[in-house]
Amino acid sequence: MAFMEKPAANKLFLDDTAPLTAVIEASQSLHSHTEYIIRVQRGISMENSWQVVRRYSDFDMLNNSLQISGLSLPLPPKKLIGNMDREFIAERQKGLQNYLNYITSNHILSNYEPVKKFLDPTNYAANYTEIALQQVSMFFRSEPKFEVVEPLKDIGWRLRKRYFLMKCKNQPKEPLVLSWADMGPDKYLQDKDFQCAIKLLPSWTHPYIYRVTFATAGESSALIIRPFNEKGTLKDLIYKAKPRDPFLKKYCNPRKIQGLELQQIKTFGRQILEVLKFLHDRGFPYGHLHASNVMLEGETCRLMDLENSLLGLPSFYRSYFTQFRKINTLESIDVHCFGHLLYEMTYGRPPDSIPLDQFPPAPSMSVVSVLESILSCEACKSGMPSVSQLLQMPLFSDVALMNTEKPQFKIPTKLKEALKTAKECMEKRLAEEQKSIYQHRRLTRAQSHHGSEEEKKKRKILARKKSKRTNCESGEEQSMKCNNSNNSGSGTSSPLTSPSSPTPPSTAEHASF
C-alpha cells in the first residue's frame, strides 16, 4: 500500500527528547499588556537557540492544559489592577521563570505537546493527529477489513505518535489498537531493509513479546496494529491507572504510591531480562524499555514497540543516559532503562534523579543490590552490568519460568547485517552526543570555578601580591636611577677618580699656556 506524502516541513527528524531550557531575557510593556521575551535552547549548543514572545495569558492557557496532570504548578496568580507597575512586572517575571524551570525539569511535562508548542512553535506547528488520520485513511482504502472506533487521545508520551481504537469487521468483539509513528533521528536502515523489517513484525513470536496483528510502512512513517488490552501495561498496574486515560493524568501525580510485591518484582524482572537477552542474541537493537512498553497478560510480561528502533525513535530515558559516557551500547541502554523500571516496580514511582547514592528500604536487599549495580554513582561512572550478569544475580536466578512457547524470530541474513550497521550508527551518534555534553560540562565547571567567590578572593590576593612585587621592583629601579644620576653629575662637577689615577690639570694651568 502507498502512504500519502507529508509536506517537506514535517520531515525534520528532530530528537524530541533533547531537553529545552527557557530563560526570560526581558519584558516589554505595551499599551495594555506586558510581553515576555524568552530565550529557548535545545540541548547544549548556544547556536541552537531562538526567541519566543509570550504574554501572561499564554502562560495561563498553557497552565490550563497541564491541569490534567494533577500537579500543583507554580504559575504566579492573575492581577487585574496594578499589573503594569514596574515592580509588579519584575516580580511576575521571576515567578514565570520559576514556572518554566519547573516544567522543563519535569521529565513527563517537558515532553508534552502543548509545552513543546509553547517553547518551540516553529518545529511543532504540525497537527500530528490530522497527519495520522490522513495516513490511516489511506490505509483503509487498501485494507477495508479494519475500522476505526475512536481516537485514543494522548495515551502515549510521544509527540509524533498517535493511537486509535480499532476493530476487525470479521471479529468485531476483539478490540485492537492502531499506532501511527513518524520516523526519528536514529533511522539508519535503508528503505528496502526498513520495509522488510516492518513486514516481518507480525511473524515474530516469543513468550515475552506482545504480538503484532498487522504492520506496514510508508516512506517516513509506520502503522502497527495490535490487540488492545483493557487491563493495560505494567505501568498501569504500578500506578493503578486506567489504560485509556491521557498519559499526564495516569502517571504525573499518582494518588497512591505503592510498589509491587517481591514475587512480582522477581518474576516480571526475570521475564523482561529473558526477552532482552533473546533480542541481543539475535542482533536486534531495542533500546526502548520502560514500564509503558511492557504489556501485562495475567502474570506474564510482554515487550512492545519493537518498531521504535527500526523507525529510529529516541528512547524515553535518552536525556538520562546521554549524561554517562559508559552507557554507550544498545545493551547498556537496555540495562540502564531496566534499572529505572525496577525502581518503579519496587517503590511505585520513578527516581527523583540519577545517579543515586542511597535507596529507600526495599522488600529485599537483593533488589537494592541490583539497583546499586545500575543506578548508583559508581555504576553510572564505571559502566553497566550485562543482561546475562543481571540474570545470574540472586533476585532473578531462582525464578522458575513457566512459559514454554517456542520463539519464532527469523531474520534474513541481509537484514541482520543492515540491523548491525544501523545499531553501530545509533551508538556512534550517542557517543558523539555524550562527548559534546561531557566537554560542555567541563567548560561550564571551569567557568563556574573561575567565577566562584572563593576563586575571586584568590585572584584578588594574587593580584595584590603581584601589585606589591611590581611596586617594590619599580621602587628599586627608581632608586638605582637616582643614584646613577647623582654620580654622573653636570659640567661643573669633578670627574670620578681613583687613588692611582693622575690628578687632572686645573683650568688655571690650561689658561697659562
Side-chain angles (χ1 to χ4, degrees):
M1 61 163 282
F3 273 83
M4 286 181 64
E5 271 298 313
K6 295 191 298 173
N10 293 331
K11 289 189 175 181
L12 295 171
F13 298 146
L14 283 175
D15 186 346
D16 295 320
T17 62
L20 297 180
T21 52
V23 177
I24 303 177
E25 294 184 316
S27 59
Q28 53 187 15
S29 298
L30 303 179
H31 178 65
S32 58
H33 64 274
T34 302
E35 292 182 338
Y36 299 92
I37 302 166
I38 307 170
R39 170 68 58 181
V40 185
Q41 181 176 313
R42 174 177 285 105
I44 58 172
S45 175
M46 286 290 291
E47 296 176 1
N48 197 3
S49 67
W50 58 93
Q51 283 185 337
V52 290
V53 178
R54 298 296 184 205
R55 296 167 58 173
Y56 177 83
S57 58
D58 299 321
F59 280 89
D60 188 48
M61 194 179 300
L62 172 66
N63 194 63
N64 287 335
S65 72
L66 299 177
Q67 291 304 303
I68 193 172
S69 69
L71 295 169
S72 180
L73 302 170
L75 182 72
K78 293 180 181 179
K79 186 178 182 182
L80 299 177
I81 301 172
N83 59 6
M84 299 299 288
D85 295 341
R86 185 177 297 178
E87 289 183 4
F88 170 77
I89 292 171
E91 194 63 30
R92 173 176 274 183
Q93 183 173 323
K94 288 180 183 177
L96 293 175
Q97 182 63 62
N98 181 51
Y99 179 77
L100 288 175
N101 294 344
Y102 183 94
I103 289 173
T104 54
S105 62
N106 183 294
H107 187 56
I108 295 179
L109 292 182
S110 60
N111 284 295
Y112 190 44
E113 187 174 358
V115 173
K116 295 286 190 184
K117 286 180 179 289
F118 181 86
L119 295 174
D120 189 2
T122 302
N123 283 311
Y124 297 103
N127 186 328
Y128 295 108
T129 301
E130 188 177 313
I131 293 168
L133 281 169
Q134 290 174 353
Q135 303 284 351
V136 171
S137 297
M138 288 295 294
F139 161 71
F140 285 133
R141 293 181 188 179
S142 57
E143 297 290 341
K145 65 178 181 178
F146 293 108
E147 182 181 329
V148 172
V149 177
E150 62 177 320
L152 296 170
K153 188 172 171 58
D154 298 330
I155 67 165
W157 68 276
R158 290 190 186 277
L159 278 79
R160 304 170 198 269
K161 197 167 192 176
R162 291 294 183 269
Y163 298 87
F164 301 88
L165 191 64
M166 310 280 295
K167 67 179 179 181
C168 180
K169 292 180 180 177
N170 297 334
Q171 297 171 304
K173 292 187 178 181
E174 294 185 13
L176 304 169
V177 61
L178 179 151
S179 65
W180 169 89
D182 209 351
M183 288 179 182
D186 276 325
K187 195 269 181 182
Y188 293 109
L189 285 174
Q190 297 296 317
D191 289 343
K192 189 176 179 181
D193 296 320
F194 173 67
Q195 294 278 350
C196 174
I198 291 292
K199 287 177 182 177
L200 281 171
L201 287 173
S203 69
W204 290 341
T205 61
H206 185 279
Y208 307 123
I209 292 178
Y210 199 58
R211 66 188 176 92
V212 171
T213 304
F214 181 87
T216 189
E219 290 184 7
S220 61
S221 60
L223 186 153
I224 314 293
I225 297 178
R226 294 181 174 87
F228 181 74
N229 186 348
E230 291 287 357
K231 292 186 177 179
T233 64
L234 178 56
K235 201 172 184 83
D236 293 324
L237 174 70
I238 295 168
Y239 288 78
K240 316 290 188 296
K242 296 177 182 178
R244 297 195 193 200
D245 282 346
F247 200 85
L248 260 66
K249 183 178 181 180
K250 290 187 286 190
Y251 310 131
C252 257
N253 189 28
R255 292 179 182 177
K256 187 177 181 181
I257 297 175
Q258 184 179 352
L260 303 182
E261 298 291 330
L262 179 59
Q263 191 55 48
Q264 287 180 309
I265 295 170
K266 289 167 68 72
T267 303
F268 295 162
R270 175 67 188 266
Q271 292 171 351
I272 292 164
L273 289 173
E274 285 289 342
V275 70
L276 288 178
K277 186 176 185 305
F278 176 85
L279 292 174
H280 295 154
D281 290 346
R282 297 300 185 282
F284 187 90
Y286 186 55
H288 291 274
L289 179 63
H290 61 91
S292 288
N293 274 353
V294 179
M295 190 62 74
L296 267 182
E297 291 187 323
E299 291 298 305
T300 302
C301 284
R302 301 188 192 272
L303 206 62
M304 290 196 303
D305 286 10
L306 269 63
E307 70 274 11
N308 283 358
S309 58
L310 305 176
L311 282 158
L313 302 180
S315 168
F316 181 68
Y317 293 117
R318 187 176 180 88
S319 61
Y320 288 89
F321 58 72
T322 49
Q323 307 298 317
F324 309 107
R325 299 182 76 180
K326 290 290 184 179
I327 305 175
N328 51 16
T329 65
L330 265 293
E331 181 175 4
S332 62
I333 288 171
D334 280 333
V335 169
H336 181 74
C337 294
F338 179 79
H340 283 262
L341 187 150
L342 180 61
Y343 190 101
E344 274 191 293
M345 286 198 293
T346 305
Y347 301 113
R349 60 179 181 84
D352 294 327
S353 62
I354 298 293
L356 292 165
D357 286 319
Q358 293 182 327
F359 295 87
S364 167
M365 277 307 297
S366 60
V367 178
V368 177
S369 297
V370 178
L371 290 172
E372 286 178 339
S373 74
I374 301 173
L375 301 180
S376 68
C377 294
E378 181 58 32
C380 291
K381 185 179 178 181
S382 60
M384 299 287 104
S386 67
V387 173
S388 295
Q389 287 172 329
L390 290 177
L391 281 166
Q392 291 168 7
M393 295 186 77
L395 182 63
F396 307 116
S397 60
D398 63 348
V399 175
L401 298 176
M402 308 304 293
N403 202 316
T404 57
E405 179 188 341
K406 189 178 179 180
Q408 298 290 331
F409 207 89
K410 292 182 180 179
I411 303 176
T413 305
K414 189 178 177 183
L415 177 58
K416 191 173 285 189
E417 287 300 314
L419 288 171
K420 182 182 177 182
T421 303
K423 174 179 172 289
E424 289 169 354
C425 290
M426 292 177 199
E427 291 171 350
K428 183 181 177 182
R429 186 176 88 87
L430 173 62
E432 289 171 352
E433 185 175 344
Q434 288 171 331
K435 183 180 178 181
S436 297
I437 291 172
Y438 174 74
Q439 291 174 340
H440 175 75
R441 193 184 294 136
R442 284 191 65 184
L443 178 62
T444 304
R445 208 158 38 223
Q447 290 172 341
S448 176
H449 177 68
H450 188 74
S452 67
E453 288 301 318
E454 187 179 340
E455 191 64 20
K456 284 178 182 177
K457 286 177 183 178
K458 286 181 181 178
R459 288 201 301 273
K460 282 181 181 179
I461 293 168
L462 287 172
R464 286 196 201 106
K465 287 181 179 178
K466 187 177 179 181
S467 177
K468 285 179 181 179
R469 193 163 51 245
T470 304
N471 291 338
C472 189
E473 289 171 357
S474 298
E476 289 176 4
E477 190 178 334
Q478 188 68 27
S479 177
M480 287 179 67
K481 283 182 180 179
C482 289
N483 289 338
N484 289 339
S485 175
N486 291 335
N487 290 331
S488 62
S490 58
T492 58
S493 62
S494 301
L496 287 173
T497 60
S498 67
S500 59
S501 303
T503 305
S506 65
T507 11
E509 292 174 334
H510 281 285
S512 62
F513 283 102

